[in-house]
Amino acid sequence: MTFHYEDERLLCEGVELEAVAREAGTPCYVYSSRSIVAAYQAYDAALGSLPHVICYAVKANSSLAVLSLLAKAGCGFDIVSGGELYRVLQAGGDPGRVVFSGVGKTTEEIGFALRSGIRNFNCESEGELAEIDRVAGALGVTARFSLRVNPDVDAVTHPYISTGLRDHKFGIDIADAPAVYARARDFRNLRASGVSCHIGSQILDYSPILEAAGKVLSLIGQLQADGLGIDHVDLGGGLGIAYQPGEQAPAIHEFIAALRDRIGRYGLTVMIEPGRSIVGPAGVLLTKVLYRKQSPAKKFVIVDAAMNDLIRPALYKAHHEILPLRRAGGGAIVADVVGPVCETGDFLARDREMTDAQPGEYLAIASAGAYGFAQSSNYNSRPRAAEVLIDGSGWRVVRERESFEDLVRGETR
Ligand code: LLP
């Protein structure tokens, strides 16, 4: 168990989190290196002898320490910007195991990716293909690409993070893909190497991913019959995690076993782009209770973390468990956990049955390793939180808390 109680104290691996909160200060993200590496290894082991590249979706958590852990374990990376590529290279990632996704790659980003020698572009429009061809030609290189196809499959998740339906901005309609691949043969500096798809995120029932995989594989069969040298299939990310008690996330090995059953016989290299399922359960956000307040309608627990630190509850009505760092015998309350930001949407939990936390006590906001810090901002001129990496019984600050000077860096009066 990565996060567990011993003598009523919450530990991550072998480290008592209250000691971290006191020394590193709050708000502070804490990640378990063992949990991150174990999740990567679960994917790797389940894919086994099938030729594969696991491309961790950098957007989920792009901190250098996290990327560096994964790079050392042999992981590849799925990037969506030049900034993410820069981070991967800084962290020691292998550009030969990088795929570049996203609907709006700029000329500069395409050039940077080609000069860095990335493995593959996941392309989302014919205009983008033309631009990659042009930049590759100018650099005298050939770019490998996949079309990201839109299989029109409902991922059954929050509408903001569902991507595989016909009216979403993502991908190229799967029915149009053969014609686009055929036209792409005219681009002298491109080589079609795969087909990719990603239907959404936080998917708890993975049958839609299998359905999408089935559609993509039959497209690949058709393309191969047309004489295209497609050698890989990229099935994106999306596997969900358990945020709430009673929620059941599929085990990584089960999901991959189901995929293997379908893909094994095609002789393709399998690529996947998991993000949340690798880092989500591995992280918590530590926060301190500042005040308690009772309105005529509600109890409020006012903490020093806010929507700028973790926007998921405000943006997706996401549920994150709230755990005391020190479990006391006291009764439970029902309260809203809110931050200092001046918006009613600034809440971390609503009408939550929780520990009767008093000012000065610490709480952990659970399952915050994915899309937590990565989506944080300086709204209300709040310096971004510190980040800590735990390894066994040791821990270190891997990102300093921002200072007021950081807040105004690059600005002029
Ligand atoms: N590949 C592509 C092309 C993606 O767009 C994404 C996520 C992934 C892979 C990784 O998906 P994952 O394995 O993490 O589900 N901010 C939202 C999630 C946005 C997901 C965007 N794309 C949240 O906090 O729930």
Side-chain angles (χ1 to χ4, degrees):
M1 278 281 279
T2 304
F3 295 95
H4 61 282
Y5 284 97
E6 254 176 56
D7 297 332
E8 308 303 324
R9 312 274 175 125
L10 187 63
L11 271 70
C12 173
E13 300 188 20
V15 174
E16 202 178 302
L17 287 175
E18 193 168 301
V20 176
R22 284 191 197 286
E23 261 189 69
T26 50
C28 171
Y29 277 95
V30 176
Y31 310 118
S32 156
S33 45
R34 287 184 186 170
S35 169
I36 293 171
V37 172
Y40 164 72
Q41 286 170 344
Y43 275 109
D44 195 39
L47 284 160
S49 58
L50 207 60
H52 63 270
V53 188
I54 300 162
C55 294
Y56 164 69
V58 174
K59 63 171 81 69
N61 185 324
S62 55
S63 298
L64 287 186
V66 169
L67 300 182
S68 152
L69 265 182
L70 288 167
K72 284 194 190 113
C75 192
F77 298 94
D78 165 45
I79 58 160
V80 291
S81 70
E84 286 191 351
L85 176 55
Y86 180 78
R87 285 183 166 280
V88 166
L89 299 176
Q90 288 286 309
D94 172 7
R97 297 167 79 78
V98 167
V99 297
F100 192 172
S101 302
V103 293
K105 304 173 186 78
T106 66
T107 304
E108 293 72 25
E109 289 175 323
I110 292 166
F112 179 30
L114 286 171
R115 288 193 308 276
S116 304
I118 69 158
R119 182 185 181 106
N120 199 72
F121 288 86
N122 291 340
C123 296
E124 306 218 13
S125 65
E126 290 192 68
E128 182 192 332
L129 285 178
E131 187 59 7
I132 296 173
D133 178 67
R134 193 185 67 76
V135 180
L139 292 171
V141 296
T142 300
R144 290 163 53 96
F145 78 93
S146 307
L147 289 186
R148 173 172 175 181
V149 297
N150 186 328
D152 198 27
V153 169
D154 187 353
V156 195
T157 182
H158 190 284
Y160 288 6
I161 55 175
S162 175
T163 53
L165 287 174
R166 201 159 265 163
D167 59 353
H168 294 150
K169 71 175 175 181
F170 296 101
I172 287 178
D173 195 290
I174 195 161
D176 297 337
V180 178
Y181 275 105
R183 286 196 287 276
R185 288 179 184 228
D186 294 340
F187 290 119
R188 300 234 311 273
N189 311 298
L190 298 185
R191 180 164 108 56
S193 62
V195 179
S196 77
C197 102
H198 168 82
I199 61 167
S201 194
Q202 183 52 16
I203 298 170
L204 288 173
D205 167 4
Y206 56 74
S207 46
I209 306 183
L210 301 181
E211 187 189 338
K215 290 186 173 187
V216 168
L217 288 169
S218 64
L219 169 66
I220 289 179
Q222 190 183 339
L223 296 173
Q224 285 175 334
D226 290 347
L228 278 173
I230 300 292
D231 61 22
H232 80 257
V233 58
D234 180 340
L235 293 166
L239 195 66
I241 63 170
Y243 283 103
Q244 315 211 22
E247 209 164 48
Q248 264 301 330
I252 288 170
H253 65 88
E254 238 175 64
F255 165 60
I256 294 296
L259 274 185
R260 281 191 67 144
D261 281 351
R262 283 163 176 77
I263 300 174
R265 57 182 177 280
Y266 285 81
L268 296 163
T269 294
V270 179
M271 301 175 76
I272 48 168
E273 304 167 357
R276 189 189 316 264
S277 50
I278 290 188
V279 290
V284 295
L285 171 60
L286 303 184
T287 185
K288 185 162 78 176
V289 179
L290 298 175
Y291 303 106
R292 287 283 299 267
K293 175 163 154 171
Q294 170 86 55
S295 79
K298 277 192 168 194
K299 276 193 177 58
F300 292 96
V301 176
I302 302 168
V303 298
D304 65 359
M307 66 188 291
N308 74 296
D309 300 301
L310 179 66
I311 202 173
R312 302 194 70 258
L315 193 55
Y316 316 112
K317 298 198 174 77
H319 177 107
H320 288 262
E321 283 288 285
I322 308 271
L323 308 171
L325 293 200
R326 209 190 278 215
R327 235 170 9 191
I333 55 168
V334 173
D336 282 14
V337 179
V338 300
V341 163
C342 298
E343 294 217 22
T344 303
D346 179 29
F347 57 87
L348 298 166
R350 269 196 161 160
D351 298 322
R352 184 68 62 82
E353 187 171 333
M354 60 177 291
T355 174
D356 189 5
Q358 297 299 321
E361 292 179 10
Y362 293 102
L363 299 170
I365 298 158
S367 309
Y371 307 107
F373 188 94
Q375 287 188 284
S376 68
S377 76
N378 292 122
Y379 187 40
N380 277 208
S381 286
R382 290 170 49 84
R384 286 184 304 165
E387 293 184 296
V388 161
L389 190 68
I390 307 254
D391 189 6
S393 56
W395 63 276
R396 64 195 170 95
V397 174
V398 292
R399 183 198 301 259
E400 287 173 21
R401 180 178 313 288
E402 282 179 342
S403 64
F404 290 159
E405 291 75 28
D406 293 330
L407 289 181
V408 295
R409 178 153 304 132
E411 293 184 43
T412 47
R413 268 190 268 214

